[in-house]
Amino acid sequence: MDDALLRSLTPSVLAVLVRRGADFAAAEDAVQEALIEAVRVWPGDPPRDAKGWLVTVAWRKFLDATRADAARRRREDVVDEEPPPGPASAVDDTLQLYFLCAHPSLTPSSAVALTLRAVGGLTTRQIARAYLVPEATMAQRISRAKRTVAGVRFDRPGDVATVLRVLYLVFNEGYSGDVDLAAEAIRLTRQLAARYDHPEVRGLLALMLLHHARRAARTAPDGGLVPLAEQDRGRWDTRLIAEGVRILQAALARDRLGEFQAQAAIAALHADARTAEETDWVQIVEWYDELLRLNDSPVVRLNRAVAVGEADGPRAGLAALAELDAGLPRHSAVAAYLHERDGDPVTAARLYAEAAGKASSLAERDHLTRQAARLNTHRSR
């Protein structure tokens, strides 16, 4: 069973059902049932047209659920219009579905959460981690969003800003592990850039390309994480870097700075340095200051503390870090790094071990554990 194929087809199948009149919540349930049926049937009897098969089965599941729900008898005119089986349209509906999920009846945060869950393929836990909230809180938010759009006709798509936020979070989740998810986010952002001539759309595309250019160097052969300063820059994709810088320069020339352009400018400065030692940290701090004016978030301030530590010394970085909540994700890891640079391996080792216990992925946990072990081993000699 090709899980990647099923995941790639899900948004398009969901879009077909919504377009044919299914409300979003019912359509999502029907598609999930069709996917379960595919897992059961396909290994022994693979279909010639995978998307067509899923559309047909999902639509029938939706019709069955509709017929069984007495409260929805008013929708029987839809029930009687089952389309005949056959090849499905090859049109890519995914980006349109992102817009449909960003419905005006939802708040931007709820629209993003719903789209990430239903279309982006992220789990509730992954979405909660991206928003820095408990998983139970995010589950309630998604459930409320589904109730809000239940029965709503999706004829008023949401705005570009919400779609950009969704694509950004999907890419971030893919960049942290699932390469296919990151590549899909880039593909959709390219489509968005072709449709909307807006500097922030270009800024997001540039940001994605610049980060994705480093993908091959981010992991060691054993799967371990390789920090930016230790990456083999010869493995960075110079073609993607050149494209990202070109797109960013054109966006910045419009003089309508947004947070994605500012983030892309920081990524471009990293990409421009031939070695870690040549990184222009002073200019990176300046870009973080611009970013704070656009999005004063704890995550931005945390990353700025790292940059300050590089530009002005580790004690300056620790001073900036002291202003933040110690419970913030990666706070302990950043503190450990800055303490190590400040010549305090005992505190650094303790903080690396503490950060490992809070790590959100196995690769990150192993990396932080090795950092703590390295310092402890050095001390024992």
Side-chain angles (χ1 to χ4, degrees):
M1 173 58 59
D2 191 340
D3 291 339
L5 174 62
L6 287 177
R7 185 174 61 189
S8 68
L9 290 174
T10 297
S12 189
V13 175
L14 185 56
V16 171
L17 266 65
V18 170
R19 200 164 53 238
R20 288 176 178 172
D23 70 68
F24 188 87
E28 186 188 11
D29 290 342
V31 171
Q32 291 302 317
E33 289 189 36
L35 294 176
I36 294 172
E37 188 73 4
V39 171
R40 185 182 69 82
V41 172
W42 285 12
D45 185 21
R48 287 191 296 271
D49 177 9
K51 178 181 174 182
W53 189 97
L54 285 171
V55 168
T56 300
V57 173
W59 185 252
R60 287 174 178 166
K61 297 288 186 183
F62 165 70
L63 296 182
D64 289 344
T66 303
R67 292 189 180 102
D69 189 348
R72 299 189 182 186
R73 293 190 182 278
R74 65 183 181 277
R75 300 173 66 94
E76 287 183 352
D77 56 331
V78 177
V79 172
D80 293 334
E81 296 175 2
E82 178 178 354
S89 169
V91 175
D92 183 356
D93 299 299
T94 309
L95 187 59
Q96 181 62 22
L97 191 57
Y98 272 68
F99 274 96
L100 294 176
C101 289
H103 197 271
S105 62
L106 295 172
T107 64
S109 61
S110 294
V112 170
L114 179 62
T115 313
L116 288 171
R117 181 71 185 91
V119 189
L122 273 63
T123 65
T124 303
R125 177 175 298 178
Q126 289 171 321
I127 301 169
R129 188 170 68 227
Y131 272 89
L132 307 180
V133 299
E135 184 176 352
T137 300
M138 183 52 66
Q140 292 175 353
R141 184 180 300 178
I142 293 172
S143 295
R144 284 196 300 269
K146 287 183 178 180
R147 288 196 297 269
T148 299
V149 300
V152 171
R153 291 301 297 265
F154 284 75
D155 54 358
R156 292 188 298 149
D159 63 1
V160 175
T162 302
V163 174
L164 282 178
R165 178 63 52 186
V166 174
L167 290 170
Y168 172 69
L169 292 174
V170 169
F171 176 81
N172 279 349
E173 191 59 44
Y175 187 64
S176 67
D178 190 333
V179 173
D180 289 338
L181 196 58
E184 172 69 357
I186 291 174
R187 184 182 71 83
L188 293 172
T189 306
R190 285 190 187 279
Q191 290 185 13
L192 194 63
R195 185 182 300 183
Y196 292 94
D197 183 21
H198 191 285
E200 268 296 81
V201 178
R202 306 282 175 173
L204 178 58
L205 178 57
L207 175 63
M208 289 180 174
L209 295 174
L210 290 164
H211 278 307
H212 207 55
R214 302 199 301 260
R215 175 178 61 84
R218 292 186 72 248
T219 54
D222 63 358
L225 293 180
V226 180
L228 177 60
E230 300 172 17
Q231 289 177 14
D232 178 0
R233 300 185 177 217
R235 299 184 65 195
W236 290 1
D237 189 328
T238 55
R239 180 186 60 81
L240 286 182
I241 290 174
E243 183 185 5
V245 169
R246 184 175 67 253
I247 292 171
L248 172 62
Q249 289 174 338
L252 292 174
R254 305 277 291 277
D255 198 24
R256 294 166 60 191
L257 184 64
E259 62 176 292
F260 293 128
Q261 295 169 72
Q263 288 190 56
I266 293 168
L269 286 168
H270 284 298
D272 187 54
R274 291 179 297 176
T275 65
E277 293 72 25
E278 295 179 58
T279 303
D280 189 345
W281 286 106
V282 172
Q283 194 173 169
I284 287 176
V285 171
E286 292 174 354
W287 273 111
Y288 271 119
D289 290 339
E290 291 287 346
L291 185 54
L292 280 174
R293 282 189 275 273
L294 297 163
N295 178 18
D296 189 356
S297 75
V299 173
V300 174
R301 288 192 173 275
L302 183 71
N303 290 331
R304 181 184 179 277
V306 176
V308 169
E310 298 289 355
D312 300 328
R315 294 196 177 182
L318 287 168
L321 190 65
E323 300 175 2
L324 301 176
D325 181 358
L328 188 67
R330 291 185 57 245
H331 187 284
S332 297
V334 171
Y337 173 74
L338 292 172
H339 276 290
E340 181 181 359
R341 287 199 61 229
D342 195 38
D344 185 358
V346 176
T347 301
R350 176 179 58 78
L351 288 169
Y352 275 130
E354 180 182 308
K358 301 175 182 177
S360 59
S361 70
L362 180 61
E364 182 183 3
R365 186 193 69 190
D366 289 347
H367 170 71
L368 293 168
T369 300
R370 284 196 295 268
Q371 295 294 86
R374 172 179 57 80
L375 292 178
N376 286 327
T377 301
H378 181 74
R379 285 168 45 212
S380 64
R381 289 177 181 171

